[in-house]
Amino acid sequence: MGEKRTIKSINPATGELLNEVEAMSKKDIRSTVSAAQEASQSWGALPVKTRCDYIKRVGEILSIDAGEIAETIHLEVGKPVTEALICEISLITDFLYYLSVKAPGILADRRVPIHLAGVMKEAKMVYQPLGVVTIISPWNFPFFLSMGNIIYPLLAGDTVLYKPSSQTTLTGKKIEQLFKKADLPEGVFNLIICPGSLAGQELVKPPVKHVVFTGSTEAGREVALRAAEHFIPVDLELGGKDAALVFDDVDIDFAASGIVYGAMLNCGQICASIERCYVQENIFDEFVDKVVNKVKALKVGTAENRKNYDIGPLVSEEQLQIVKEQVDDAIAQGAKALAGGKQIDGPGYFFQPTVLVDVKQDMRIMQDETFGPVLPIMAFHDEEEAIKLANDSRYGLTASVWTNDKRRYEEVARRLEAGGISQFDHMFTGSFIELPWQGVKESGMGYTHTLEGLRKFTFGKPLLADRQPYLGKLTRPYWYPYSSILAKSVHTGSDFLASLTKTKTRLCK
Ligand code: NAD
């Protein structure tokens, strides 16, 4: 008999139990997967426009339920309600609307001009639904990172198995309600509540046709290995250790505000938080002073201050310990905390917003993902050194370059090893649906977002037909039997093509 397991989520601001649900058993999951596979037949057969109407309806319901969902995220993750509304809900409202307007065009059959034999043949691409797609999400943006991935396969005609983080099952339930209220047919959207390891075993194998995993590099590696066993394509959005480079031509106060925001947003618990700040040496002291003052002015949302605050708690005791260990390790090796540096006493998992200087590139705080409200700052001499320091990481999610000089911005940005670069804002590429969200090195594989990204959740099949029906009856000269005349004419034909290529190359120069 399978043992019953429960999944608990804890309010990180108080340490109290928030929600306890029974985890799905292997048997429950398997029957949900079968239902999803069955539902994919009729969902995939609907016109794209009809699926878009469903998703638009989800958007309308979201605008009514926004406050309630933001409150749930606030309770489960600890972030301010305003932040949940800005960074999670408003972005998804835009994604839902924009993608459902664009999807019919992107998923429509597409003519492909073929230059060889184009007189005889005409080609087109048709985009057919895959079937069942798995989406596995983390807790730090439980709504944005889930919905932003779920709507792609749904629009493309696939059914979805959605596994939220165990910390955010209430937000997962809210997402399920959105689809229920929009009357999506049974089996199209499927919430799976279970431990991560079971999701790995049951949701990363046939009949699943594509997996989108967002989470830690360690779990991502396991998912990728399982997916490889079954040749299932997988997109991995993983951890980060983002660098921000601040040059001496900036408005120092402006840059300090932006860097503090990029480091402290969501209590620093973002894959693309600024976790390393490199500042040109001649503005270092002034910049650090400004940053320290701004960080000290941040309001932390402890038990006495749960309504009007900037920074919430860390998500768990475990995460609090990681942050403490990394900060203590840096200080033991000579780093100085000019702001914060310690856990905040009282209930919940709070850590003081922290600024560290005198850090060294080989410290854990500069190499390992911290996922906390900690900003280590180091000086650099020139562009070359700044790029070298930024690229000295096993991660490569995003980076930002703070300079007024557009030429310098472009030159540095092109040389940074990261999935996306912004000027005067950090991690901003993730807010625009047209841009790919992706990491290099241990930050990920594949990409999410973009309009063309919809096609990834289909099978793009080329259909090649004869232009004129009567050509179909003509025997092809390249069919059997082979002859010396055929060999000669192929030779002549190749020479002719080569000469055309040369002429075209010359003309194109
Ligand atoms: P996590 O890897 O512990 O969990 C992420 C999800 O994967 C959860 O739903 C979890 O239950 C599930 N999971 C865990 N082990 C699994 C396995 N073996 N097989 C299948 N699923 C498994 O990560 P987390 O603590 O929820 O989130 C924090 C991490 O996620 C950080 O490293 C952060 O950088 C990363 N992250 C990356 C991005 C990005 O876009 N690159 C975005 C957000 C978070």
Side-chain angles (χ1 to χ4, degrees):
M1 233 180 62
E3 70 181 290
K4 294 269 179 223
R5 293 184 66 168
T6 59
I7 292 194
K8 295 180 184 166
S9 54
I10 303 293
N11 181 336
T14 61
E16 289 161 1
L17 181 69
L18 199 56
N19 186 35
E20 184 166 6
V21 278
E22 201 173 288
M24 286 170 78
S25 65
K26 202 180 265 194
K27 192 167 157 233
D28 296 338
I29 297 176
R30 288 186 179 173
S31 67
T32 306
V33 173
S34 300
Q37 192 180 13
E38 203 180 317
S40 70
Q41 300 297 322
S42 45
W43 181 249
L46 289 176
V48 181
K49 167 94 182 39
T50 310
R51 295 196 296 263
C52 292
D53 290 341
Y54 276 107
I55 298 303
K56 283 180 193 157
R57 207 171 309 150
V58 172
E60 285 158 19
I61 295 159
L62 175 58
S63 70
I64 299 165
D65 290 0
E68 214 178 278
I69 297 174
E71 187 65 32
T72 307
I73 300 171
H74 158 75
L75 285 176
E76 286 196 316
V77 183
K79 65 181 77 181
V81 170
T82 316
E83 201 170 288
L85 284 167
I86 299 172
C87 302
E88 306 229 35
I89 291 165
S90 68
L91 284 176
I92 288 301
T93 308
D94 172 60
F95 277 30
L96 287 167
Y97 166 74
Y98 198 65
L99 258 194
S100 43
V101 167
K102 291 288 181 185
I106 290 158
L107 297 173
D109 295 356
R110 185 168 61 94
R111 288 216 164 280
V112 183
I114 46 172
H115 75 286
L116 206 57
V119 215
M120 289 166 62
K121 295 284 188 188
E122 59 187 12
K124 67 174 165 190
M125 292 295 295
V126 297
Y127 298 96
Q128 299 177 321
L130 293 175
V132 185
V133 169
T134 291
I135 307 289
I136 301 177
S137 302
W139 51 265
N140 64 334
F141 281 85
F143 190 76
F144 175 68
L145 292 172
S146 301
M147 288 293 284
N149 289 327
I150 289 167
I151 54 178
Y152 273 83
L154 287 182
L155 285 168
D158 307 317
T159 54
V160 166
L161 303 167
Y162 162 58
K163 150 80 179 87
S165 162
S166 299
Q167 172 61 28
T168 52
T169 48
L170 284 175
T171 309
K173 283 265 177 208
K174 290 276 170 210
I175 290 174
E176 183 185 47
Q177 270 173 28
L178 281 178
F179 291 112
K180 279 206 169 126
K181 287 185 187 177
D183 277 335
L184 254 76
E186 205 60 31
V188 171
F189 171 83
N190 304 276
L191 176 67
I192 308 274
I193 293 186
C194 71
S197 51
L198 188 56
Q201 286 163 26
E202 295 300 317
L203 305 182
V204 188
K205 66 178 189 187
V208 167
K209 291 289 192 334
H210 193 114
V211 175
V212 181
F213 173 88
T214 311
S216 62
T217 297
E218 295 67 35
R221 187 171 282 121
E222 281 182 38
V223 168
L225 287 170
R226 279 186 188 279
E229 263 181 56
H230 303 287
F231 303 109
I232 298 175
V234 53
D235 292 299
L236 301 174
E237 302 290 5
L238 310 176
K241 190 75 194 170
D242 280 13
L245 310 183
V246 184
F247 286 89
D248 63 2
D249 60 28
V250 288
D251 175 326
I252 298 180
D253 190 65
F254 164 80
S257 296
I259 297 287
V260 169
Y261 181 73
M264 301 295 163
L265 182 65
N266 205 28
C267 194
Q269 301 170 109
I270 310 184
C271 48
S273 291
I274 299 175
E275 294 212 355
R276 298 176 292 146
C277 180
Y278 301 105
V279 182
Q280 201 149 21
E281 58 197 2
N282 48 332
I283 58 161
F284 185 83
D285 292 341
E286 193 182 343
F287 177 81
V288 169
D289 271 357
K290 298 241 183 224
V291 165
V292 168
N293 288 334
K294 288 173 195 290
V295 167
K296 283 184 174 167
L298 292 171
K299 284 180 271 174
V300 180
T302 49
E304 310 85 62
N305 183 23
R306 291 302 293 151
K307 284 284 165 234
N308 181 21
Y309 66 97
D310 305 308
I311 293 201
L314 289 157
V315 78
S316 62
E317 177 63 38
E318 193 191 359
Q319 194 51 42
L320 178 64
Q321 289 312 320
I322 294 173
V323 174
K324 259 169 74 175
E325 268 171 42
Q326 287 194 17
V327 170
D328 289 350
D329 174 71
I331 291 173
Q333 291 188 60
K336 253 197 249 118
L338 297 184
K342 297 213 167 339
Q343 177 180 355
I344 299 174
D345 289 337
Y349 313 121
F350 289 93
F351 196 86
Q352 296 170 332
T354 298
V355 179
L356 294 176
V357 292
D358 295 344
V359 286
K360 304 232 165 48
Q361 186 69 7
D362 61 358
M363 289 178 177
R364 278 182 64 199
I365 201 79
M366 299 299 277
Q367 293 293 331
D368 294 350
E369 186 174 48
T370 307
F371 236 54
V374 181
L375 178 61
I377 313 181
M378 246 177 99
F380 68 80
H381 177 62
D382 57 13
E383 271 176 38
E384 262 334 288
E385 193 188 8
I387 294 167
K388 196 165 161 223
L389 286 166
N391 287 343
D392 176 24
S393 173
R394 64 180 185 279
Y395 295 107
L397 195 51
T398 81
S400 55
V401 184
W402 301 68
T403 172
N404 281 313
D405 180 343
K406 203 67 189 285
R407 177 207 57 81
R408 176 192 263 164
Y409 165 70
E410 280 250 357
E411 277 180 19
V412 173
R414 281 170 194 273
R415 291 177 62 196
L416 289 178
E417 294 163 2
I421 319 288
S422 312
Q423 181 191 22
F424 291 141
D425 270 299
H426 195 88
M427 65 185 111
F428 216 37
T429 46
S431 306
F432 304 99
I433 198 165
E434 292 87 351
L435 301 178
W437 181 251
Q438 58 192 358
V440 297
K441 301 195 261 187
E442 293 195 16
S443 288
M445 188 171 91
Y447 69 95
T448 52
H449 299 175
T450 77
L451 298 179
E452 310 77 56
L454 273 168
R455 292 197 188 125
K456 183 166 41 172
F457 296 97
T458 64
F459 183 69
K461 192 188 281 178
L463 302 187
L464 193 61
D466 272 34
R467 268 190 193 285
Q468 303 296 339
Y470 63 85
L471 286 177
K473 298 202 184 79
L474 288 181
T475 303
R476 308 304 194 237
Y478 39 84
W479 288 355
Y480 297 133
Y482 289 155
S483 67
S484 55
I485 299 172
L486 175 63
K488 214 167 169 185
S489 38
V490 170
H491 220 135
T492 318
S494 306
D495 285 351
F496 176 64
L497 283 178
S499 71
L500 270 185
T501 312
K502 276 184 208 148
T503 317
K504 278 191 186 155
T505 315
R506 264 203 309 276
L507 287 175
C508 292
K509 268 186 184 165

